[in-house]
Amino acid sequence: MSTRTPLTRFLIEAERAGQINAELRLLIEVVARACKGISYAISKGALGGVLGDAGASNVQGEAQKKLDVLSNEILLEANAWGGHLAGIASEEMDEPHPIPDVYPKGNFLLLFDPLDGSSNIDVNVSVGTIFSVLRCPDGVTEPKTAHFLQPGTAQVAAGYTVYGPSTVLVLTVGHGTHVFTLDRETGSFILTQRGVRIPEDTQEYAINASNARHWDAPVKRYVDDLVAGRTGPRGKDFNTRWIASMVADVHRIMSRGGIFLYPVDAKCRDKGGRLRLMYEANPMAFLVEQAGGAASTGHQRMLEVQPAGLHQRVPVVLGSKNEVAVFERYMREG
Ligand code: F6P
C-alpha cells in the first residue's frame, strides 16, 4: 500500500484536526489545481507559444508578459465559481476582482502574485506563484480594498509554488510549513517534507548588489561586514546567492537557511520599497515564521505592519532567525 500523502489527504486530515474548515480546504485545493495549470503552461516554453510580452502594463507600471496574464487568468477562472471566496486581489489588477453574481460567495479573501520573478519568465529560470488567504469581515458580501487591508497576522493560509526543475508547493495553515512536490505522472501534489525548519544561523545571503550605491548606511555596513568574511567583524565567510525570483530565493532558504534582503534604498524610497506587502512579503513572512525563521521590515515584524494600500511596497528581510536579528541590530545602530 502506498504511504504517499497527496495534498487532498493532507488537507482532509487538517480539517479533521480542526485546523481548517471545508471551505478553506476547497480554496487551497482550487489554488493548487490552478498552479498545476500554470506549471504545465510554463513547462511548454516556446513550444506552447506562451513566451514574450503581452503588450500591456499592470497597475505597477510593469510590462506584462504573456505568462503573467495567462497565470492571472488561470487563477481567476479557477477561483470564481467554487463558492469559497468573497473576493480576489492580484498584483496584476488595480482593484479587487468581484466574484461574479451568478456564483455563490464564500467567507475568504484570496490575494496573489500570479507569476513572481518577472525578469526570469522568458529565460527558463525558476518563477512561481505566491498567495495569501484572509477572512472576509463579517457581514461584507462585496469586499472593497479596505476589507483586504488586514495585517499579516490575520492570514489563515499562505503558500507559494516554484516552477523549477520540479514544481513544489509550500503551504501553511498556521500549523507549520509543509512542502509538496508535483508528481507529473499522477498530477498530484505529494507531501515531501512535513514541518520545515529553517536553520537559525547561516553563511549565505541574497541581495541585489547592483543597488549598493543606493543603499542606506546600515545596509551598506551590514553587507560590507558579510563580504569581509573571516577576517572582518563577523568572523566567518559568507556566500552570495541571488536568483531574482523571490520564490526561488525563499525556497533555497526554506531548504538550507539563509537571509534574503530587499531593503528600501534611494532608488525605491518614494515607493516604500521594492516588494509588495499583501501578496509577496506577508505570505512569505507567515511561511518563514511557521518554519522557525523570522521576517521583518528591518525595524518591525512584517506580519504586524498595518497595510495602507493593496499594492503597498515594503522593505523585506527574512530567513534564518539569528541572522535577521543581526541585520535588525545594524539598522537600530544606524
Ligand atoms: O516581484 C518582484 C521580484 O521579481 C522578486 O521576485 C525578486 O526577488 C525581485 O523582484 C528581483 O528584483 P531585481 O530585479 O532588483 O533583481
Side-chain angles (χ1 to χ4, degrees), residues 195-238:
V196 174
R197 298 310 291 171
I198 298 175
E200 292 185 358
D201 293 294
T202 186
Q203 290 179 234
E204 207 158 61
Y205 69 100
I207 192 165
N208 182 345
S210 70
N211 291 324
R213 72 185 188 284
H214 306 294
W215 290 339
D216 290 342
V219 177
K220 187 162 185 341
R221 203 160 50 82
Y222 171 75
V223 176
D224 283 349
D225 289 354
L226 300 183
V227 173
R230 190 178 312 194
T231 53
R234 298 297 305 276
K236 58 179 183 177
D237 290 335
F238 284 81

